[in-house]
Amino acid sequence: MNYIGSKYKLCDFLLNSIESTLKECRAKPLKQSVFCDMFAGTSAVGKLFKNKVKQMISNDREFYSFVLAKNYIQNSTELPRARELLQILNDEDKTPLKEGRIYKYYALGGGENRQYFSDENAKKIDSIRTQIECWKNEDFINESEYFFLLASLLESADKVANTASVYGAFLKHLKTSAQKNLILNPANFEPSTNTHRVFTMDSNELITQITGDILYLDPPYNAREYGANYHLLNSIALYDDFIPQGKTGLRKYEKSNWCKKAKVYDELESLIKNANFGFVFLSYNDEGLLSLEQIKEIFSKYGKYRVKSKSHQRFKADSKRVQKQEKTIEYLHILEK
């Protein structure tokens, strides 16, 4: 999934930097550590460290992210019925197409003049999502199967969405990938012998309730709200009663202090101050609301500060768009408390 701020391409840099820091400081190794991924997103970092640490704690305030983490991080044992369940949901004879909420609000056939999905794919999303919920309510599937199927639907739907990677707007005409029929593919997860925990809470509230060894922070860098850019994934995941607003069909969402210039400094300091973790690693690029000096100032108050950096390709929602700057510098700010 193309995702704003995704660390997928920076995994090697993060792993090497964290491991080398622990060795330099003579701290306990990763395999004995409790690791918290506070802003999980698509769980790219959580998946990287899941089987390298003693326990993973994953958190994100967005519900679609919570669904992905419940599958990729908390699910740890194989699901014997996974293939069978997917086959039923992909079979339109067994799971007939349904004109539900996604079709009504986000396909042209629904009459709201929005085209996030083709009519056919919107109906299929509705039918699959409804069936998953029915199975849950009837206790036909367990919690692990439920989140596996929801995660599979989110990622499969995203592949046929008629957008330029984010859901802030839809395209006027169906692009090639959006014309393909949705196929529910498995969101496969790595089995694990350890128990992992997943939350969907405000980061500054959760930090007062957990302890661990490594706290990894990858908060929003700028004014782009994830609740707005990925609202449709939340609508599929929640599948609740809501009234879309405006031309783009935005659902109500809570704005983040991390996206506000006037509040982000205090938000970070509060998080660092209350963190009961031996090490804090903060990913933040050179285009963020906070300056390098401000982050250094906060970190230095609470322990030994250092920083590592790497140049990499910046996120582009539209690959055809001409950008003044093709690369950005990712900084990994490190605090030994």
Side-chain angles (χ1 to χ4, degrees), residues 129-145:
R129 184 64 186 87
T130 301
Q131 186 62 70
I132 292 172
E133 202 64 23
C134 285
W135 282 347
K136 176 193 174 188
N137 294 335
E138 295 167 356
D139 292 325
F140 179 71
I141 56 175
N142 59 34
E143 182 183 85
S144 296
E145 292 169 328

Side-chain angles (χ1 to χ4, degrees), residues 64-195:
Y64 67 84
S65 177
F66 174 72
V67 169
L68 296 176
K70 287 285 284 186
N71 176 61
Y72 285 121
I73 306 306
Q74 190 163 308
N75 277 353
S76 293
T77 57
E78 292 185 9
L79 305 177
R81 298 195 300 168
R83 179 179 295 183
E84 174 191 351
L85 295 172
L86 291 173
Q87 287 177 339
I88 294 173
L89 293 173
N90 273 317
D91 188 336
E92 293 181 11
D93 290 330
K94 297 179 179 179
T95 308
L97 296 184
K98 177 183 177 67
E99 295 181 3
R101 297 181 181 120
I102 304 305
Y103 174 77
K104 177 180 179 180
Y105 295 129
Y106 299 109
L108 283 183
E112 296 289 334
N113 294 316
R114 302 187 188 108
Q115 193 173 210
Y116 283 97
F117 297 102
S118 69
D119 287 359
E120 191 82 1
N121 284 336
K123 292 176 188 177
K124 189 156 188 177
I125 292 170
D126 281 321
S127 65
I128 292 173
R129 184 64 186 87
T130 301
Q131 186 62 70
I132 292 172
E133 202 64 23
C134 285
W135 282 347
K136 176 193 174 188
N137 294 335
E138 295 167 356
D139 292 325
F140 179 71
I141 56 175
N142 59 34
E143 182 183 85
S144 296
E145 292 169 328
Y146 178 71
F147 284 108
F148 163 75
L149 293 174
L150 279 190
S152 300
L153 177 58
L154 288 179
E155 295 201 338
S156 298
D158 183 70
K159 285 181 171 60
V160 295
N162 191 42
T163 68
S165 296
V166 296
Y167 295 84
F170 52 87
L171 303 177
K172 292 182 180 179
H173 304 286
L174 286 175
K175 63 181 182 180
T176 302
S177 59
Q179 295 175 33
K180 297 179 180 179
N181 291 329
L182 184 153
I183 297 175
L184 189 62
N185 289 311
N188 294 319
F189 58 87
E190 274 194 50
S192 175
T193 56
N194 296 334
T195 301

Side-chain angles (χ1 to χ4, degrees), residues 292 295-297 299-300 303-308 331-336:
L292 298 177
I295 296 173
K296 180 179 179 180
E297 181 179 80
F299 274 47
S300 297
K304 185 177 180 180
Y305 169 78
R306 69 190 79 184
V307 64
K308 298 177 184 288
Y331 290 92
L332 185 64
H333 300 271
I334 304 168
L335 170 65
E336 182 182 2

Side-chain angles (χ1 to χ4, degrees), residues 6 49 54 87 103 151-152 164 204 214 220 250 258 275 282 285 295 300 309 318:
S6 173
F49 286 95
K54 179 180 178 182
Q87 287 177 339
Y103 174 77
S152 300
N204 282 60
I214 300 167
L250 193 66
W258 294 93
L282 167 68
N285 72 18
I295 296 173
S300 297
S309 64
D318 184 352

Side-chain angles (χ1 to χ4, degrees), residues 3-8 36-47 56-62 64-70 72-73 197-201 203 216-220 226:
Y3 196 73
I4 297 173
S6 173
K7 295 300 175 289
Y8 179 76
C36 177
D37 182 12
M38 186 61 82
F39 301 87
T42 58
S43 291
V45 171
K47 287 189 283 187
M56 174 65 63
I57 301 173
S58 180
N59 177 67
D60 200 290
R61 199 178 63 175
E62 299 300 330
Y64 67 84
S65 177
F66 174 72
V67 169
L68 296 176
K70 287 285 284 186
Y72 285 121
I73 306 306
R197 304 163 69 193
V198 173
F199 298 91
T200 178
M201 292 176 61
S203 57
Y216 175 70
L217 307 175
D218 183 23
Y226 283 75

